[in-house]
């Protein structure tokens, strides 16, 4: 019952919380190796001011924080509290921020976190030092609050020790031993520890630990300024008990990148609004060099902090000219996308990481990792946090540094869901890029690829379609153009060419390929060469890990259409080790076009050396052939719900492929169309998008994907759990809503109210131009997910009337696709 031998590197809050969570689950053979001294061993944990703001656009990040708050609030150390629910307020100085506070309130509502909006007077009543004339309003989360870092670290550490864990302090990890790609031991400056699993929880030193086994841990350490004021008479009058530390809420003033926390008669305040100070994990002083200071603390940079100090005085007049008692720059980690790093390295079995985790999320991350280790599946959706989510370019040192710095700068910015990163761009371009530029493509970015959102060259389509493209609100019209609506309609009426190069393509081949894929996915794959199958990857708990199309190109060769690098890692991790299966991500060296619309066959037939009639090449089949000079693989399927093909070629021939199709298409009115049209069309057709619509938190039936599950086909990963879940019946369902107001287009993540109460949330949304309705897919409890049921969607403070609709909204008889 002791479980495998686990070594955790680092006794910061993450390593310690993990030791607690693992021992709680009966894995007690746990050793935590820490180079510093317990329980303030010198990393970020030792000097964080311990402020918890739970609100986050990510459901998972909010859930991490909710669990962490709940857990720490239930802990004590020698009778002293570990968490105080003093609440938090985010203030707005600008109208844009005030609007965004509505969005944050709605995220919180979607994720089950209680919050409310305040006027300036209410803000001042809750935090008397704030000048109400300096702000336009606020956002209040009563359950937010504060911790004391070393105290809550020790509380969890002692519990873990009581259950059998060992904490070894003053001991540095110097190496990791592997045998045949698997971890066998951790080497330290005082000897070796044999083990089965290693978890790297080394904070911003993580990249150095990773390098010991050749694993890239993509995080950038940055120094962050925190100061403490001298005693303030304005606070002294509250006579705050030193044991309580604070009685008024923690504050964020995001328009100037600052935050505040009371400490008896002083204010601790920090800023992100200074020149970023990146540090290399290799340059941070060792413990010996730094002693008696902490290695993670750099000297205060007064001149960098001067503007923030001024801003502090604007918000809290008591801080105007107030003396600063102390200040320093503390180091912590930023990743390329702001999410933590969790999971097992695909290269080194048994090497796990829990890195770049905020204090706020520490226990939640640790619980999920513990569940993942112990049961094989975490209960939350972790696709945003997966260590394996990065494309190769995202692991380069320059990318990690550039994006890490950018995320530091943007940490409090109002970010639109479609807003692309600005730098580094362009990075990856499809071979069609020059043609797309010539057509006036407006590019957004996906996995590093430049991807057209719409084409200005199509403006003239509005002569025909303008009346079918309603206006939309301010927020929804960002990164959008009515041209996209016209492109969608031109696809339904004629034919359009889509650049779908961003789709992840994996070739799986070898004598074991069929058996391997069949054991891993839900649908029946033993079909004739040429068949294409839509199928699901499940985790052992029956949650959806991905949805795939699998084309059988030869007896032993399959092309897998997937959702991203996590899928590649999932396949590798499950592949047999005997060499009978080869897995190759071919995305970078190939390209892909979608040619869709009722006139697609007219365009393609004269070009193809082969028969593309419906009889010879039916729906959901593959054809390896040629288009002019270009060898291609064509799959007859369509995420936009029209007749047509996905067409794949090697990247070197991509431009020729585009030109060949483009020229032939002119006689048939072919247009190029972008991602905005694509998204609208897929929602009309009811096709789900992994990550937004469904995740590992959902089973296939709830998600409306039960048709891809063949329980009678024999064993596959997740099958046993599915059988159990099936008999329990679905608790919730993914359903389309149509909004009453055609000019209201929402963005995703908004709460859905049933009988006036929050009951679910929107996953993805778009206007459906052919059906003439604004569509929002949403999760709802089963009893509310009935056709015709009236609901409301909360959107920037409005309540939009909507009704549950029958799906799919477009072409339920499949006559367009099977034509
Ligand atoms: P760490 O605490 O850095 O722990 C890693 C441990 O690994 C260290 O103790 C280190 O000694 C050990 N280690 C590393 N290498 C080795 C090795 N080779 N051998 C043995 N041991 C090793 N977060 C919030 O949520 N709210 C806040 O208000 C907040 N404010 C912050 C303010 C400042 C100034 C700073 C710097 C950070 C703040 N953070 C805040 C971030 C938060 O402190 C960190 O995200 C969190 O503490 C990280 O915990 P950790 O366990 O991952 O890392
Ligand atoms: N193309 C290819 N692979 C992909 C996608 C794609 N893999 C990832 C993602 N997109 C998978 N998502 C879908 C969603 C729906 C369909 C295909 C891929 C689809 N479904 C049909 C339906 O539900 O009516 C067919 C189902 C069936 O016959 O089993 O076409 O875009 N290559």
């Amino acid at each position: 019952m002791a479980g495998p031998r686990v070594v955790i590197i680092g006794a910061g809050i993450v390593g310690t919380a993990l030791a607690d969570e693992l021992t709680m689950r009966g894995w007690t053979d746990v050793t935590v190796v820490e180079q510093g001294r317990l329980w303030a061993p010198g990393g970020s944990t030792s000097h964080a001011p311990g402020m918890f703001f739970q609100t986050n656009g990510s459901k998972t990040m909010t859930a991490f924080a909710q669990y962490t708050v709940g857990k720490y609030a239930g802990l004590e150390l020698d009778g002293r509290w570990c968490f105080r629910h003093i609440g938090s307020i985010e203030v707005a100085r600008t109208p844009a921020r005030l609007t965004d506070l509505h969005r944050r309130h709605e995220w919180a509502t979607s994720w089950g976190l209680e919050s409310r909006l305040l006027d300036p007077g209410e803000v001042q009543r809750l935090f008397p030092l704030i000048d109400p004339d300096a702000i336009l309003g606020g956002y209040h989360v009563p359950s937010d609050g504060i911790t004391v870092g070393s105290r809550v670290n020790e509380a969890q550490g002692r519990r873990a020790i009581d259950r059998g864990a060992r904490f070894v302090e003053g001991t540095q990890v110097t190496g990791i031993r592997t045998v045949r790609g698997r971890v066998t031991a951790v080497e330290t400056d005082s000897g070796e520890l044999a083990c089965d699993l290693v978890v790297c929880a080394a904070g911003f030193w993580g990249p150095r630990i990773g390098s010991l086994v050749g694993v890239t841990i993509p995080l950038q350490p940055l120094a962050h300024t925190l100061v403490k004021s001298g005693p303030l008479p304005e606070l002294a009058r509250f006579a705050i008990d030193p044991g309580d530390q604070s009685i008024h809420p923690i504050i964020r003033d995001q328009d100037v990148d600052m935050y505040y926390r009371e400490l008896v008669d002083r204010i601790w305040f920090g800023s992100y609004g200074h020149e970023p100070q990146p540090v290399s994990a290799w340059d941070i002083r060792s413990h010996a060099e730094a002693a008696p200071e902490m290695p993670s603390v750099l000297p205060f940079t007064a001149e960098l902090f001067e503007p923030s100090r001024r801003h502090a005085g604007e918000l809290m007049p008591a801080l105007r000219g107030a003396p600063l008692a102390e200040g320093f720059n503390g180091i912590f980690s930023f990743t390329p996308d702001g999410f933590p790093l969790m999971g097992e390295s695909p290269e080194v079995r048994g090497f796990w990481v829990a890195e770049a985790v905020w204090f706020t999320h520490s226990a939640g991350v640790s619980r999920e990792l513990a569940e993942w280790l112990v049961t094989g599946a975490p209960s939350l959706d972790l696709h945003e946090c997966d260590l394996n989510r990065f494309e190769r370019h995202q692991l380069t040192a320059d990318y990690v540094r550039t994006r890490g710095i950018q995320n530091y700068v943007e940490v409090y910015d109002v970010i639109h869901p479609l807003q692309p990163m600005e730098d580094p761009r362009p990075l990856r371009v499809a071979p069609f890029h020059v043609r797309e530029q010539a057509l006036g493509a407006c590019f957004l970015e996906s996995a590093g690829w430049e991807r057209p959102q719409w084409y200005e060259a199509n403006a003239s389509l509005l002569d025909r379609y303008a009346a079918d493209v309603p206006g939309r609100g301010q927020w929804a019209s960002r990164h959008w153009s009515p041209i996209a609506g016209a492109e969608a309609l031109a696809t339904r009426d004629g034919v359009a060419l889509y650049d779908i190069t961003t789709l992840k393509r994996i070739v799986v081949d070898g004598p074991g390929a069929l058996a391997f894929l069949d054991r891993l996915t839900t649908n029946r794959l033993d079909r004739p060469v040429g068949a294409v199958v839509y199928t699901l990857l499940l985790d052992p708990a029956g949650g959806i890990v991905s949805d795939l199309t699998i084309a059988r190109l030869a007896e032993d060769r399959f092309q897998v259409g997937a959702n991203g690098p996590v899928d590649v890692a999932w396949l590798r991790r499950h592949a047999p080790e005997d060499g009978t299966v080869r897995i190759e991500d071919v995305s970078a060296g190939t390209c892909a076009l979608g040619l869709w619309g009722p006139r697609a066959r007219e365009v393609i037939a004269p070009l193809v050396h082969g028969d593309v009639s419906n009889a010879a090449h039916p729906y959901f089949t593959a054809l390896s052939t040629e288009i002019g000079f270009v060898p291609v693989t064509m799959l007859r399927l369509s995420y936009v719900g029209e007749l047509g093909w996905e067409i794949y070629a090697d990247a070197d021939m991509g431009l020729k492929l585009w030109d060949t199709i483009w020229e032939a298409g002119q006689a048939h009115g072919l247009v190029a169309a972008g991602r905005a049209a694509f998204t609208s069309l897929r929602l009309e057709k009811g096709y789900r998008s992994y990550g937004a619509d469904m995740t590992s938190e959902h089973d296939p039936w709830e998600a409306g994907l039960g048709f891809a599950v063949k329980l009678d086909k024999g064993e596959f990963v997740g099958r046993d759990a599915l059988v159990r879940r099936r008999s329990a019946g679905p608790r919730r369902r993914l359903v389309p809503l149509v909004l009453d107001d055609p000019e209201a287009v929402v963005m995703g993540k908004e709460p859905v109210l049933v009988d006036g109460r929050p009951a679910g949330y929107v996953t993805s949304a778009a206007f459906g131009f052919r059906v003439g309705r604004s569509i929002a897919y949403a999760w709802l409890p089963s009893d509310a997910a009935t056709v015709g049921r009236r609901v409301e969607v909360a959107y920037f403070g409005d309540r939009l009337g909507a009704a549950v609709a029958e799906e799919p909204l477009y072409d339920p008889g499949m006559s367009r696709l099977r034509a």
Side-chain angles (χ1 to χ4, degrees):
M1 189 50 203
R5 296 163 303 170
V6 183
V7 171
I8 297 171
I9 304 172
I13 192 63
V14 175
T16 303
L18 180 62
D20 185 41
E21 295 286 335
L22 282 175
T23 53
M24 199 187 288
R25 287 166 174 76
W27 279 24
T28 52
D29 195 342
V30 172
T31 307
V32 184
V33 182
E34 170 54 57
Q35 60 190 5
R37 296 287 162 199
L38 305 174
W39 297 96
S44 308
T45 299
S46 311
H47 49 64
M51 306 163 63
F52 286 44
F53 295 87
Q54 296 167 84
T55 308
N56 196 294
S58 157
K59 177 169 180 285
T60 295
M61 293 292 270
T62 307
F64 286 154
Q66 287 169 301
Y67 176 74
T68 307
V69 163
K71 179 179 183 184
Y72 294 174
L75 290 175
E76 277 191 349
L77 187 74
D78 301 328
R80 286 174 302 163
W81 55 269
C82 285
F83 189 87
R84 277 171 54 78
H85 293 285
I86 55 176
S88 74
I89 301 173
E90 300 181 3
V91 298
R93 294 190 187 216
T94 60
R97 179 72 56 184
L98 191 62
T99 307
D100 199 56
L101 294 183
H102 281 280
R103 188 168 65 129
R104 297 177 68 77
H105 169 59
E106 283 153 14
W107 285 339
T109 308
S110 288
W111 315 148
L113 176 68
E114 202 193 310
S115 67
R116 65 193 175 114
L117 293 155
L118 307 174
D119 63 33
E122 291 170 306
V123 172
Q124 193 200 26
R125 273 194 290 288
L126 287 170
F127 202 108
L129 265 55
I130 289 181
D131 174 4
D133 294 332
I135 58 171
L136 304 177
Y139 164 72
H140 182 211
V141 179
S143 61
D144 281 347
I146 52 168
T147 189
V148 179
S150 55
R151 192 186 294 171
V152 74
N153 205 31
E154 179 168 1
Q156 293 177 94
R158 282 204 211 159
R159 270 205 331 203
I161 290 168
D162 287 345
R163 298 192 199 103
R166 288 175 301 278
F167 280 70
V168 187
E169 62 181 333
T171 302
Q172 189 169 41
V173 171
T174 53
I176 293 169
R177 217 180 256 284
T178 61
V179 174
R180 271 176 268 106
R182 191 173 282 280
V183 164
T184 58
V186 168
E187 297 162 352
T188 77
D189 54 8
S190 55
E192 195 174 288
L193 290 159
C195 64
D196 306 303
L197 298 171
V198 173
V199 185
C200 177
F204 53 73
W205 285 281
R208 287 169 71 160
I209 301 292
S211 73
L212 297 175
V213 275
V215 175
T216 303
I217 295 187
L219 64 80
Q220 174 63 50
L222 281 129
H224 167 66
T225 314
L226 183 67
V227 304
K228 194 190 289 175
S229 75
L232 302 174
E234 291 84 348
L235 275 180
R237 71 189 167 94
F238 295 104
I240 297 169
D241 180 341
D244 289 346
Q245 296 196 357
S246 316
I247 57 171
H248 299 113
I250 54 177
I251 304 292
R252 268 182 179 166
D253 184 1
Q254 289 157 298
D255 289 310
V256 294
D257 297 313
M258 294 186 68
Y259 61 81
Y260 301 82
R261 174 209 205 271
E262 206 171 52
L263 190 65
V264 193
D265 58 350
R266 299 158 192 253
I267 297 274
W268 239 341
F269 53 117
S271 171
Y272 294 94
H274 51 84
E275 189 62 28
Q277 306 170 77
V279 193
S280 161
W282 277 264
D283 292 343
I284 295 164
R285 295 176 299 174
S286 74
H287 275 255
E289 286 161 0
E293 275 177 60
M294 295 197 175
S296 52
V297 170
L298 302 179
F300 182 51
T301 40
E303 65 300 344
L304 287 186
F305 198 70
E306 208 36 53
S308 301
R309 214 175 153 180
R310 238 187 3 262
H311 291 313
E314 291 156 13
L315 185 70
M316 300 191 194
L319 287 173
R320 238 171 253 164
L324 298 186
E326 52 187 271
F328 68 98
N329 280 299
I331 302 169
F332 70 115
S333 309
F334 283 77
T335 55
D337 55 9
F339 287 96
L341 305 169
M342 303 174 65
E344 185 180 20
S345 154
E347 291 105 20
V348 184
R349 297 283 168 104
F351 184 78
W352 290 70
V353 309
E355 287 285 344
V357 180
W358 285 52
F359 218 115
T360 307
H361 308 118
S362 52
V365 163
S366 299
R367 177 188 68 167
E368 291 303 312
L369 200 76
E371 262 187 26
W372 196 350
L373 285 164
V374 173
T375 71
S379 45
L380 294 177
D381 157 35
L382 299 185
H383 82 276
E384 296 163 314
C385 311
D386 198 305
L387 173 65
N388 300 307
R389 67 186 178 275
F390 300 101
E391 298 284 342
R392 280 181 55 191
H393 72 275
Q394 295 174 310
L395 298 174
T396 60
D398 278 4
Y399 188 90
V400 172
R401 186 182 148 90
T402 306
R403 294 304 306 158
I405 291 171
Q406 197 58 28
N407 278 313
Y408 185 91
V409 172
E410 289 179 356
V411 69
Y412 284 165
D413 286 5
V414 176
I415 309 269
H416 188 276
L418 289 175
Q419 183 176 322
M421 66 178 186
E422 281 167 22
D423 183 48
R425 276 184 71 196
L427 269 178
R428 308 174 84 187
V429 292
F432 328 120
H433 190 67
V434 286
R435 297 292 182 266
E436 294 166 349
Q437 282 177 311
L439 292 170
C442 286
F443 291 99
L444 298 183
E445 177 267 349
S446 171
W449 295 100
E450 292 297 310
R451 181 167 70 187
Q453 193 72 359
W454 71 86
Y455 294 88
E456 288 295 331
N458 289 330
S460 59
L461 290 175
L462 283 168
D463 297 345
R464 179 169 172 202
Y465 290 120
D468 298 324
V469 182
R472 47 172 71 193
Q474 203 271 334
W475 187 251
S477 55
R478 288 194 208 172
H479 305 290
W480 192 77
S481 159
I483 296 170
E487 290 174 0
L489 289 163
T491 309
R492 294 265 187 257
D493 290 337
V495 56
L497 191 60
Y498 289 80
D499 177 356
I500 55 167
T501 301
T502 57
L503 184 90
K504 180 60 76 189
R505 296 172 289 287
I506 309 163
V507 169
V508 179
D509 62 7
L514 174 63
F516 163 65
L517 289 171
D518 204 49
R519 179 175 56 78
L520 219 52
T521 74
T522 58
N523 212 331
R524 196 163 299 159
L525 294 182
D526 191 7
R527 309 261 179 95
V529 171
V532 182
V533 176
Y534 176 71
T535 187
L536 307 173
L537 293 175
L538 303 181
D539 66 25
I544 304 171
V545 168
S546 190
D547 65 337
L548 310 172
T549 58
I550 301 187
R552 189 167 196 183
L553 300 182
E555 277 303 308
D556 286 350
R557 182 176 169 83
F558 297 82
Q559 177 175 317
V560 178
N563 286 296
V566 174
D567 296 343
V568 181
W570 183 270
L571 294 181
R572 294 224 167 101
R573 198 180 142 95
H574 288 85
E577 287 174 25
D578 59 8
T580 57
V581 177
R582 211 178 54 97
I583 294 163
E584 193 189 355
D585 176 357
V586 298
S587 313
T590 58
C591 60
L593 289 171
L595 182 73
W596 294 309
R599 304 185 72 178
R601 190 177 280 118
E602 291 163 44
V603 174
I604 209 78
L607 303 175
V608 172
H609 296 265
D611 188 351
V612 293
S613 67
N614 195 42
H617 182 23
Y619 184 54
F620 259 75
T621 58
L623 183 65
S624 292
T625 181
E626 295 150 22
I627 290 181
F629 299 105
V630 187
V632 295
T633 298
M634 295 169 56
L635 305 187
R636 215 188 122 191
L637 61 95
S638 166
Y639 211 64
V640 307
E642 296 293 340
L643 169 68
W645 288 267
E646 292 180 348
I647 305 168
Y648 299 92
D650 285 345
D652 58 338
M653 296 297 281
L655 196 55
K656 189 70 195 163
L657 177 66
W658 175 287
D659 288 344
T660 307
I661 296 174
W662 189 255
E663 270 165 42
Q666 292 318 300
H668 305 278
L670 177 69
V671 297
R675 188 68 177 187
F678 181 94
T679 302
S680 156
L681 295 169
R682 81 149 176 100
L683 280 173
E684 273 187 334
K685 185 62 190 145
Y687 288 158
R688 278 79 170 130
S689 175
Y690 188 78
D693 296 318
M694 73 289 192
T695 69
S696 65
E697 294 177 23
H698 309 111
D699 72 38
W701 297 296
E702 295 169 331
L705 297 173
F707 66 88
V709 179
K710 301 287 182 280
L711 282 178
D712 57 358
K713 80 166 199 181
E715 202 40 55
F716 58 86
V717 176
R719 185 181 177 282
D720 296 345
L722 274 195
V723 170
R724 286 194 300 274
R725 284 173 89 141
R726 166 146 232 182
S727 51
R731 286 174 293 134
R732 54 195 171 175
R733 284 181 47 216
L734 181 65
V735 290
L737 310 177
V738 293
L739 306 189
D740 299 341
D741 176 0
E743 300 206 354
V745 177
V746 301
M747 305 301 298
K749 304 186 175 188
E750 296 83 5
V752 180
L753 314 179
V754 177
D755 300 328
R757 280 187 296 278
Y761 59 91
V762 175
T763 58
S764 39
F767 191 80
F769 297 93
R770 181 46 34 96
V771 301
R773 311 300 296 270
S774 180
I775 306 165
Y777 267 78
W779 283 101
L780 284 180
S782 294
D783 57 358
T786 50
V787 174
R789 180 65 180 250
R790 295 290 307 166
V791 301
E792 291 167 299
V793 179
Y795 188 59
F796 290 106
D798 286 339
R799 287 188 175 196
L800 308 173
V804 176
E806 177 116 48
E807 67 173 339
L809 291 153
Y810 180 73
D811 191 25
M814 299 289 281
S815 63
R816 316 276 299 186
L817 280 162
R818 295 186 186 280

